[in-house]
Amino acid sequence: MAGLAVLLLAGAEPRRHPVVRLSAVFDRQNPGSGEWQDGAVADLELREMPDGPEGLYPDPRAMAGVHSTTQAFQEALGHAWALSPWPGQGKCVLWSIAHSDALPVPLRIDGGSLGAAFALGLRELFRRPTSRRPNRASFVSAVFGLRRKAAVTGALDGSERLKQVEGLDAKLRAARKKDVRLIAPEEGNQGFKHLPEFAGVKFAATLKEADRYARQWRYGRLAAAALLTVGVLTPLYISRSDNAEASQHSTASKLASVSGNLLNSHTGLAQLFAARAYQEDPTPQTQAALFKAVTASPHLARSLQASSTISAVAASGDGRTAFAGTAEGAVDSWKLSPDVAEGRRQTALTLKHAVKMIASSADGKTVAAIDKSSAVFRSQGADPVVMHIPPGQEPTAVAVSPSGRFVAVATNIKDYMAPPVLLLHDGTTGKTTSALLKRLSIAPNSIAIPDDGQLVVFDGSYGTWERRSLPHLVQGDGSTVGFGVHDYGSALSADGRYFTYTNADTKLPVWRTSGSPGLDDATLTAQTKGHNPVALALSADGSRAAQAVDTTIYVAGSVSAGQTAPAPTELAGAGPVNAGTLAFLGTGSDRLVSASGDLLTIWDLSQVSRIGAASSAVIPVSCNACPGPSVSIRPDGKYVAVVDGNGVSLDVQKLGANVRHRFVEQADIMSAYTYAPPLWTADGKEIILVSAADDSAQIRTLEPGLPVVGSWAAPPADVLRFTDPVAMIRLTPDGRRAVQVNSSGTVEVRDVQTGRILQKVNGPTDLAQTDGGPVLLGQSDVSIDAAAAHVAVHDTDNNAVYVADLTSGRLLPVPGVGKTAAVAYMKDRLLIRRADDTLEVRSADGARRITTLNGVTDPAYGPVVNSRDAIVETETDGTGKLTHYPSGYTLGTMPIPTGYKAESVGLQFSPDGNQLVTATEVSANDMAAAAGEIVTWQMDPAAWTHIACSSAGRDITADEWTQYMDSSAPDDLRCPA
């Protein structure tokens, strides 16, 4: 710097040409309040200095006395120089900054946000020719130069990528004030891209992209140059690129809008449009559309596409095979897993006409079907068998015994005076026998074969049923209820024990096939919506009835006569249900199949969501003043350890649906806080449990009985030692230390192997424990940042937030927060939930407020974050709200299971942030059983896309694209996953 000054005093002058000027924007800060103030737009000038030392230097004439208090600014200049063509050229470049709003030159410049501006300016300066002879560089510089009204902000790290900067809102205000286009890093700001207040801001991921946004065509010069130059081959590339980006964004927005409109009527199709929208333009808006699509109609498990329009549905007794009969005469089948449909479609049978009814054995290996004139069945590995239907008879119902031995077909004789006929094929003997059903005046529309010893036929027109023995078809008991003329639908349970019908009343009567019940003597009753259904179904045990009305299926639980029946569960989103295509899947009452068009849909009432897998757990109810369960997820995301709010129960189990094996320990209820929030070691092999009594710990291994394989010795006791339960404990990033936060707010950094306290920061005085019993901090009252360098503690009683800086060892109050409710760290940002339900975003030490986001209106728990881009808060009704960070855009909600109190739920993200685990205490009705619930939620948009594509069971068709998008369909309409 001194050498440059000497050169200038000796008469050396920087070259008058070339010189580069461009706008840069940075923020000013009021050191007193720590609040971001409006930034300032400045002119950055770069020019070559002949005979100067190689490098980038401040111009002594304009920048004398300027300094930086941190290394960030100097590092930014170093990165900018290294990324330019200047190194090794032996050239000297001078820089200066002058405020465009006549403010004095800043005496201190901190931060790295000017790095991108310097890098672009240096590249442009290198392009500027020193010769007056025309060349390609002079032509490009003349007709496609840097905008004077474009300001670039962005940090550098030695690569081409732009890094996140702070104070973007202040810089935007400054840019707008000076009518300057702001170009900002995409990193960390994806959520702002399409918010109205950030309209006009160009977000760039790389220097190359920023360079493109910072340039403009000078059409007057271009026209003149075109008369002289033939080699211009790049006209309008930039505008075409901008137009393409705008078109892509517009398409994605419309796709998201279409998805939203289809959520309630065609959830599968809504998922396809949402997945396409997110693929086109992954913004918070399209991410929200995708999240809402995969969480809509939560009991919809999956749809499967049949070979043509479906006319009949059925399922095997074990629930592992689903069947769809089509209008073209095909019987399609799919193998199902216990939770969701899997496998490819296969053709089980082929008939000549539209399939009227399908039946199968319990294992799905024998299947039978009828159309208007024939009955066909087939056993696995054998050829199809066409049953002989006597002339003048028409099949009306079919059934297969659980073992597959018997196939029964009911027929209607066209002479209406003759009784219907029952045909029975015995697979053991190969013979078919028949019997007249003289008790029935109309042919049965249902047959059930509970076992190889009996069958039940049912006429849904009058309510007549009859039992017959097998294999000789000897008539047994039976009766007629007499449904009357207002008979809009009927159903027989799969085991033949129950039957029902509807006259469009709001009550659905259910009778047993025993005795001689009258019309008003129903054994059970269920509540429905009172509509004329297109399909009706009854579970095997009679515990649930399902009624399909247009696009909605109402599933109602049945109760004994005289009791109040619960309101039905509404299943929507699979399109208009085809007539007669509704059945329970297997012998249970949780799963159903229905059809709409050529899609077969699997429903699961036990499924909390397509993105959630639920399992029972041992999580006893805690006291009213106790916090919720503590959740700790193994580093590989495969196991979870849960401690109840009382600290007397430990449950360790795999994550997933319907987990059967778990490790459980329970202490005496009077021994409160026996178990602290569990801590997994970095390798996931052991769990550390700290004692509230003396700060010692047991180290357990994941084996039967959770044996103790190590321990932490209790540290030396203080003169006055009161119980101080652990509120939170986390590993440092290197996995060698644990940061333990007690309910007193005291922070201890401990060696993982020995438990030795390496550092201790005492908590605030107001949280000190006394002999009156421990004051408990909930998990929303404590948070540790990602680097394990800061700990935030919320003092609920005094509306105060403290931050312990583990580098300095100091505990300081966060200023100016007002009434507060919870804290959480999102990477290096502190989130404080205020009493007005907003989320205040601050720097890690809490000293500087950055922005404010909207929170939930009736909060119960949270915020819980995944240290990437997701914030979850729960409301008292169990609704979980998902918010995108940093935009604050609400992505949607999800139904988190609730307990008997608002604080009955614990939440934790997996280490990779892709899963959210919720643990809910036992409900008030199940306290004796101590059965809580653990749900694993998929929170990665890539997983949502996969779920959307797989559960939809098909792709968007060209006709559907044209119908909903009002444009020609692209060539590739395959779902992204």
Side-chain angles (χ1 to χ4, degrees):
M1 187 80 170
L4 290 172
V6 171
L7 286 172
L8 291 168
L9 289 173
E13 286 289 336
R15 293 185 182 272
R16 299 187 181 279
H17 298 286
V19 63
V20 168
R21 296 183 181 89
L22 69 161
S23 296
V25 63
F26 55 92
D27 38 43
R28 299 193 305 273
Q29 183 179 359
N30 184 334
S33 67
E35 301 289 335
W36 290 107
Q37 304 295 329
D38 280 350
V41 175
D43 290 329
L44 173 62
E45 183 176 285
L46 297 167
R47 63 173 70 236
E48 185 183 342
M49 172 70 184
D51 303 321
E54 179 175 337
L56 178 63
Y57 300 95
D59 189 333
R61 300 171 302 177
M63 306 304 294
V66 174
H67 66 285
S68 179
T69 59
T70 67
Q71 291 295 318
F73 179 64
Q74 295 299 328
E75 290 176 355
L77 296 184
H79 291 318
W81 181 259
L83 291 169
S84 75
W86 289 96
Q89 300 293 323
K91 302 293 185 179
C92 174
V93 176
L94 301 183
W95 64 267
S96 62
I97 291 178
H99 279 300
S100 57
D101 46 7
L103 291 175
V105 174
L107 295 180
R108 192 183 80 189
I109 302 176
D110 290 328
S113 63
L114 290 177
F118 272 94
L120 296 187
L122 286 169
R123 292 181 178 186
E124 178 68 9
L125 182 66
F126 190 82
R127 296 188 185 105
R128 298 288 176 90
T130 56
S131 170
R132 294 183 178 273
R133 295 177 60 185
N135 56 28
R136 181 181 182 278
S138 60
F139 171 77
V140 172
S141 180
V143 303
F144 187 40
L146 292 175
R147 299 173 182 264
R148 288 303 306 274
K149 288 287 189 176
V152 184
T153 180
L156 302 173
D157 65 353
S159 70
E160 286 283 327
R161 299 196 65 80
L162 297 190
K163 307 301 291 183
Q164 184 177 358
V165 298
E166 295 184 345
L168 186 60
D169 50 350
K171 294 177 181 181
L172 175 59
R173 289 193 294 270
R176 283 183 173 168
K177 182 178 179 181
K178 305 301 292 183
D179 191 25
V180 168
R181 168 188 281 191
L182 181 62
I183 303 166
E186 187 175 71
E187 178 180 294
N189 297 310
Q190 294 92 335
F192 297 128
K193 289 180 67 174
H194 303 296
L195 297 182
E197 56 267 35
F198 286 88
V201 178
K202 292 293 184 180
F203 290 94
T206 63
L207 278 172
K208 183 177 180 180
E209 192 174 357
D211 184 85
R212 175 161 59 87
Y213 290 143
R215 296 183 180 278
Q216 66 179 1
W217 288 99
R218 294 175 175 133
Y219 293 103
R221 297 182 184 180
L222 179 61
L227 297 174
L228 303 172
T229 306
V230 181
V232 180
L233 300 177
T234 57
L236 303 182
Y237 168 78
I238 300 301
S239 60
R240 285 179 180 175
S241 178
D242 287 345
N243 289 340
E245 181 181 355
S247 175
Q248 187 177 35
H249 174 59
S250 175
T251 299
S253 296
K254 187 166 185 179
L255 286 164
S257 176
V258 168
S259 174
N261 293 334
L262 292 170
L263 280 181
N264 294 327
S265 58
H266 294 83
T267 302
L269 188 56
Q271 291 183 139
L272 296 176
F273 277 107
R276 184 83 182 201
Y278 188 74
Q279 180 193 35
E280 289 281 332
D281 194 12
T283 67
Q285 287 78 8
T286 58
Q287 188 176 340
L290 180 58
F291 179 74
K292 290 174 182 176
V294 295
T295 54
S297 191
H299 299 307
L300 192 159
R302 185 175 181 177
S303 294
L304 302 163
Q305 192 165 32
S307 54
S308 64
T309 302
I310 298 173
S311 55
V313 299
S316 61
D318 61 10
R320 296 180 180 178
T321 308
F323 299 95
T326 72
E328 302 298 324
V331 175
D332 299 330
S333 68
W334 296 263
K335 293 295 182 182
L336 309 180
S337 76
D339 296 314
V340 72
E342 292 179 347
R344 296 182 178 180
R345 183 184 71 217
Q346 295 181 334
T347 301
L349 292 172
T350 301
L351 288 77
K352 294 181 179 180
H353 306 288
V355 177
K356 293 173 59 176
M357 185 176 289
I358 311 166
S360 86
S361 58
D363 59 8
K365 295 180 179 180
T366 299
V367 59
I370 59 172
D371 61 13
K372 66 179 184 179
S373 62
S374 65
V376 182
F377 70 89
R378 181 179 189 174
S379 297
Q380 190 176 48
D383 293 331
V385 176
V386 179
M387 291 183 65
H388 174 67
I389 304 295
Q393 297 185 25
E394 178 182 346
T396 61
V398 64
V400 177
S401 65
S403 68
R405 174 183 172 181
F406 296 106
V407 176
V409 176
T411 65
N412 182 35
I413 299 177
K414 292 183 178 179
D415 181 357
Y416 71 93
M417 295 299 294
V421 176
L422 178 64
L423 303 175
L424 181 70
H425 177 83
D426 188 339
T428 302
T429 64
K431 296 181 179 181
T432 300
T433 58
S434 64
L436 294 177
L437 299 174
K438 296 181 179 181
R439 179 179 278 155
L440 280 70
S441 57
I442 294 179
N445 58 359
S446 298
I447 307 174
I449 308 180
D451 51 54
D452 284 353
Q454 61 174 322
L455 63 74
V456 177
V457 293
F458 173 65
D459 158 29
S461 297
Y462 291 104
T464 302
W465 63 273
E466 180 179 281
R467 186 171 280 107
R468 294 265 174 161
S469 66
L470 300 177
H472 303 296
L473 298 180
V474 176
Q475 181 177 332
D477 58 342
S479 68
T480 299
V481 171
F483 289 157
V485 294
H486 299 291
D487 180 1
Y488 296 114
S490 61
L492 176 69
S493 66
D495 62 2
R497 288 190 297 161
Y498 296 93
F499 64 94
T500 185
Y501 101 111
T502 178
N503 61 359
D505 192 8
T506 56
K507 288 185 179 181
L508 197 69
V510 179
W511 294 270
R512 286 185 66 94
T513 53
S514 63
S516 300
L519 185 62
D520 299 324
D521 299 327
T523 308
L524 304 171
T525 184
Q527 181 179 337
T528 66
K529 288 295 183 178
H531 298 293
N532 182 2
V534 296
L536 191 65
L538 193 60
S539 66
D541 60 2
S543 63
R544 278 180 172 149
Q547 181 185 46
V549 180
D550 194 16
T551 62
T552 303
I553 299 171
Y554 301 95
V555 183
S558 60
V559 297
S560 298
Q563 294 183 341
T564 301
T569 299
E570 296 186 14
L571 307 179
V577 178
N578 300 346
T581 60
L582 180 64
F584 279 89
L585 191 65
T587 58
S589 61
D590 286 337
R591 298 196 296 164
L592 300 93
V593 291
S594 68
S596 178
D598 62 355
L599 288 179
L600 181 76
T601 298
I602 312 295
W603 304 91
D604 190 346
L605 297 176
S606 66
Q607 175 180 279
V608 295
S609 173
R610 285 184 297 287
I611 68 169
S615 180
S616 61
V618 178
I619 314 174
V621 64
S622 62
C623 71
N624 287 331
C626 292
S630 299
V631 181
S632 180
I633 305 169
R634 201 167 77 170
D636 63 2
K638 294 182 179 179
Y639 275 82
V640 64
V642 179
V643 169
D644 69 303
N646 287 329
V648 298
S649 176
L650 172 66
D651 182 312
V652 183
Q653 63 184 56
K654 279 188 175 181
L655 290 173
N658 303 314
V659 174
R660 296 288 183 262
H661 180 68
R662 60 181 59 87
F663 304 108
V664 177
E665 284 189 2
Q666 287 185 285
D668 188 285
I669 189 64
M670 300 305 294
S671 304
Y673 323 119
T674 298
Y675 302 104
L679 174 68
W680 292 91
T681 54
D683 59 8
K685 295 180 180 180
E686 297 165 345
I687 303 172
I688 301 173
L689 298 171
V690 180
S691 168
D694 59 5
D695 236 10
S696 64
Q698 291 183 345
I699 302 176
R700 308 288 196 89
T701 187
L702 196 61
E703 295 179 3
L706 298 174
V708 177
V709 295
S711 64
W712 289 356
D718 297 331
V719 177
L720 291 177
R721 183 178 184 86
F722 302 109
T723 300
D724 195 7
V726 177
M728 180 173 290
I729 186 167
R730 293 277 193 277
L731 288 179
T732 56
D734 62 10
R736 299 167 59 186
R737 295 167 296 156
V739 178
Q740 174 183 317
V741 188
N742 297 331
S743 287
S744 65
T746 297
V747 181
E748 297 173 351
V749 181
R750 309 183 69 168
D751 183 273
V752 170
Q753 296 296 324
T754 66
R756 184 169 64 91
I757 297 177
L758 307 175
Q759 182 183 10
K760 185 174 183 178
V761 180
N762 290 324
T765 304
D766 290 336
L767 287 179
Q769 303 292 358
T770 67
D771 58 1
V775 175
L776 302 177
L777 289 180
Q779 291 196 55
S780 295
D781 296 321
V782 183
S783 188
I784 304 169
D785 71 356
H790 297 88
V791 177
V793 177
H794 174 233
D795 181 355
T796 305
D797 294 338
N798 296 290
N799 282 308
V801 175
Y802 299 86
V803 172
D805 187 331
L806 299 185
T807 302
S808 66
R810 299 175 65 194
L811 178 76
L812 295 174
V814 176
V817 294
K819 293 184 178 181
T820 57
V823 294
Y825 272 106
M826 167 65 82
K827 295 181 284 193
D828 60 347
R829 293 288 183 264
L830 174 60
L831 307 182
I832 301 177
R833 176 154 55 82
R834 297 169 56 90
D836 62 2
D837 300 331
T838 59
L839 288 176
E840 192 171 273
V841 182
R842 287 182 169 254
S843 56
D845 60 5
R848 187 176 71 248
R849 186 183 66 83
I850 296 173
T851 189
T852 300
L853 308 176
N854 291 325
V856 298
T857 57
D858 189 16
Y861 190 96
V864 179
V865 302
N866 71 349
S867 294
R868 188 172 63 214
D869 59 2
I871 302 172
V872 174
E873 296 179 277
T874 65
E875 295 187 314
T876 54
D877 64 355
T879 300
K881 176 188 175 185
L882 178 62
T883 301
H884 179 269
Y885 180 86
S887 69
Y889 195 88
T890 299
L891 298 182
T893 61
M894 50 190 180
I896 295 176
T898 58
Y900 87 102
K901 61 178 183 177
E903 298 80 15
S904 289
V905 183
L907 298 88
Q908 184 67 50
F909 273 98
S910 60
D912 62 7
N914 290 335
Q915 295 178 321
L916 174 70
V917 176
T918 63
T920 304
E921 292 177 344
V922 49
S923 68
N925 295 329
D926 297 323
M927 289 183 185
E933 186 173 20
I934 293 175
V935 182
T936 308
W937 304 85
Q938 300 300 323
M939 303 301 288
D940 182 20
W944 298 344
T945 301
H946 174 75
I947 291 168
C949 295
S950 61
S951 63
R954 65 187 186 96
D955 296 316
I956 301 172
T957 66
D959 288 343
E960 288 169 336
W961 181 283
T962 302
Q963 175 186 352
Y964 292 106
M965 295 296 293
D966 196 25
S967 65
S968 58
D971 294 334
D972 188 358
L973 286 173
R974 291 175 298 177
C975 201

